[in-house]
Amino acid sequence: MARYDRAITVFSPDGHLFQVEYALEAVRKGNAAVGVRGTDTIVLGVEKKSTAKLQDTRSVRKIVNLDDHIALACAGLKADARVLINRARIECQSHRLTVEDPVTVEYITRYIAGLQQKYTQSGGVRPFGLSTLIVGFDPYTAVPSLYQTDPSGTFSAWKANATGRNSNSMREFLEKNYKETSGQETIKLAIRALLEVVESGGKNIEIAVMTKEHGLRQLDEAEIDAIVAEIEAEKAAAEAAKKGPPKET
Amino acid sequence: MMKLDTSGLESYTSQFGASSELSGGISTSPSFELPSITDFDGFQKEAIQMVKPAKGTTTLAFIFKEGVMVAADSRASMGGYISSQSVKKIIEINPYMLGTMAGGAADCQFWHRNLGIKCRLHELANKRRISVTGASKLLANILYSYRGMGLSVGTMIAGWDETGPGLYYVDSEGGRLKGSRFSVGSGSPYAYGVLDNGYRYDMSVEEAAELARRAIYHATFRDGASGGVASVYYVGSTGWKKLSGDDVGELHYKYYPVVPSPVEQEMVEE
């Protein structure tokens, strides 16, 4: 009889948890995802790999609701994501039941991260192979937040972050170009970051916008195409304005 | 020994792993061994009857414009014997929340202290105070899970949180009610009479304190199981404050001072 209580995630002689690091590799192979926090809007964007013609695109939603005021996007193993999302959704409702209050973004992030950590310290299981970007507005204070968790179970708050494929380039772009934005500007910043690593076009990007009043709203292809066109126009105008050698910042 | 199966009450998350280190800290599913008796239902009824008279007390609380007023007597009785005249029936859960004691003194004291611990842990984990709603729900869920095991608790949770003043009644049957006026205990009918008659939402703190004091006094006057000292606490935006603790005997003579009555007929020595 095989014993399933032996831990798979154990320390290496030089202090690494290799299973966790391999899980991070799986995340790095997953689709690109970006999150940007504005003053009144938070935007999540994911790369949509070309869908097969016969596939119903509505069944492959990559940005999901955890509750009316919290949304999640992730990069990595999608099957693991489904399990984690279900547990998080249950916890959101359980919290509403036991303290008669919706969860704060920090609470549910802490819960998800705690869950991911549990699976790095238990027998017979492997870590979840995904990093999540969690966004939302806190129920009473209406403060917008963006958090990221990873397979090791750590989490932290961000003004803007990216995960998945080519996340480093996206993060560099965001570090260079981030400023406090609101409304449409936040959406544009998120799309610009995604366009750094993804072929442009509404077909390859999925964007969801969260506001305090309207909750989570998925943008449809036409809207995304329109914004992409705006961005390209702005880029072209900026190029034209530069005459001679490019400026060094 | 018969053991009650409380696995249905276990929280969802602790299903994985099952060891208590994974679920961390305070265990969520209570269970203790029950006596092996042929007629368990009868035994249960008898146990409840034994404890019931101990709700000999008067406590009250009400919300008004300035906050919450909480008052209680201080007598503990065992049948016809007064075991103490100086019981603290208003329990300080934390600096901005109070609980009242009615029923089993040990049960109330222990579970209120336990609630205080849970509230503090909530504060530490979530970096903000727990709401009165949340605290009362935590207590109600705990009491519900011990339903039928003989706990006797009739308490009011009063406090001030982000949404303003809050008042909940929670009992050992698992009931939980939100309200603005409550009185609990054997003296409550008398207290309700005075409280309902004199209540106005826009009273000042002094007026409300005097109303609470008078209601407790009248209950101690008529109910044998209530007496001792009438304590009055006020919960405002900055937390609770004890306003007064007056001996009800002295209150009697304050409200009804002795007036020497004129002698109608004098006995004349013939």
Side-chain angles (χ1 to χ4, degrees), chain B residues 123-137:
Chain B
E123 253 181 61
L124 288 171
N126 296 288
K127 287 181 241 174
R128 58 197 281 251
R129 285 183 182 167
I130 192 170
S131 60
V132 184
T133 312
S136 60
K137 195 127 197 194

Side-chain angles (χ1 to χ4, degrees), chain B residues 10-250:
Chain B
E10 242 175 304
S11 70
Y12 188 93
T13 50
S14 62
Q15 264 178 27
F16 173 79
S19 65
S20 57
E21 299 92 62
L22 277 189
S23 50
I26 298 173
S27 74
T28 47
S29 68
S31 65
F32 50 80
E33 281 154 10
L34 298 167
S36 49
I37 282 181
T38 39
D39 175 25
F40 183 69
D41 280 333
F43 167 75
Q44 229 185 313
K45 285 203 184 91
E46 266 182 72
I48 291 173
Q49 283 312 311
M50 243 178 62
V51 187
K52 254 201 172 142
K55 274 198 194 162
T57 190
T58 311
T59 59
L60 63 84
F62 57 88
I63 294 181
F64 66 113
K65 191 179 63 164
E66 306 281 341
V68 198
M69 203 55 82
V70 185
D73 73 315
S74 67
R75 177 175 290 184
S77 48
M78 291 184 340
Y81 174 68
I82 298 176
S83 44
S84 170
Q85 288 272 63
S86 52
V87 176
K88 271 193 71 171
K89 295 194 187 177
I90 297 181
I91 300 163
E92 298 144 12
I93 298 171
N94 60 43
Y96 56 98
M97 236 190 284
L98 294 173
T100 59
M101 179 197 295
D107 288 341
C108 289
Q109 271 177 7
F110 178 86
W111 287 111
H112 278 129
R113 196 148 160 82
N114 184 279
L115 179 65
I117 293 173
K118 289 218 166 69
C119 289
R120 179 66 181 144
L121 288 175
H122 178 102
E123 253 181 61
L124 288 171
N126 296 288
K127 287 181 241 174
R128 58 197 281 251
R129 285 183 182 167
I130 192 170
S131 60
V132 184
T133 312
S136 60
K137 195 127 197 194
L138 280 180
L139 183 63
N141 287 338
I142 292 169
L143 294 178
Y144 181 77
S145 63
Y146 283 96
R147 198 175 133 86
M149 296 192 203
L151 285 185
S152 171
V153 172
T155 183
M156 294 177 284
I157 306 289
W160 187 294
D161 60 30
E162 276 173 2
T163 59
L167 178 61
Y168 285 83
Y169 165 75
V170 178
D171 69 23
S172 45
E173 309 298 298
R176 175 174 167 268
L177 296 173
K178 184 174 156 89
S180 53
R181 280 205 309 275
F182 285 115
S183 177
V184 181
S186 55
S188 61
Y190 312 110
Y192 269 129
V194 175
L195 179 59
D196 290 340
N197 185 42
Y199 176 82
R200 272 179 4 255
Y201 179 74
D202 50 355
M203 286 185 282
S204 67
V205 176
E206 294 77 31
E207 287 176 308
E210 185 53 26
L211 178 65
R213 201 173 299 122
R214 262 191 326 117
I216 295 285
Y217 156 74
H218 281 282
T220 61
F221 186 68
R222 288 294 176 181
D223 176 34
S226 305
V229 167
S231 311
V232 180
Y233 281 67
Y234 164 67
V235 189
S237 54
T238 54
W240 59 258
K241 185 164 181 282
K242 179 163 183 175
L243 293 183
S244 64
D246 302 290
D247 183 288
V248 296
E250 284 168 28

Side-chain angles (χ1 to χ4, degrees), chain A residues 87 90-91 95 97-101 104 106-107 110-111 118-119 121-123 125 140, chain B residues 12-13 16 22-23 122 125-128 130-131 133-134 137-138 141 162-163 168 176:
Chain A
R87 299 275 274 273
I90 290 173
E91 180 61 22
H95 187 272
L97 184 61
T98 49
V99 292
E100 287 189 13
D101 248 346
T104 57
E106 199 254 342
Y107 177 91
R110 201 160 9 103
Y111 175 78
K118 225 182 267 195
Y119 282 69
Q121 213 179 4
S122 309
V125 295
Y140 292 111
Chain B
Y12 188 93
T13 50
F16 173 79
L22 277 189
S23 50
H122 178 102
N126 296 288
K127 287 181 241 174
R128 58 197 281 251
I130 192 170
S131 60
T133 312
K137 195 127 197 194
L138 280 180
N141 287 338
E162 276 173 2
T163 59
Y168 285 83
R176 175 174 167 268

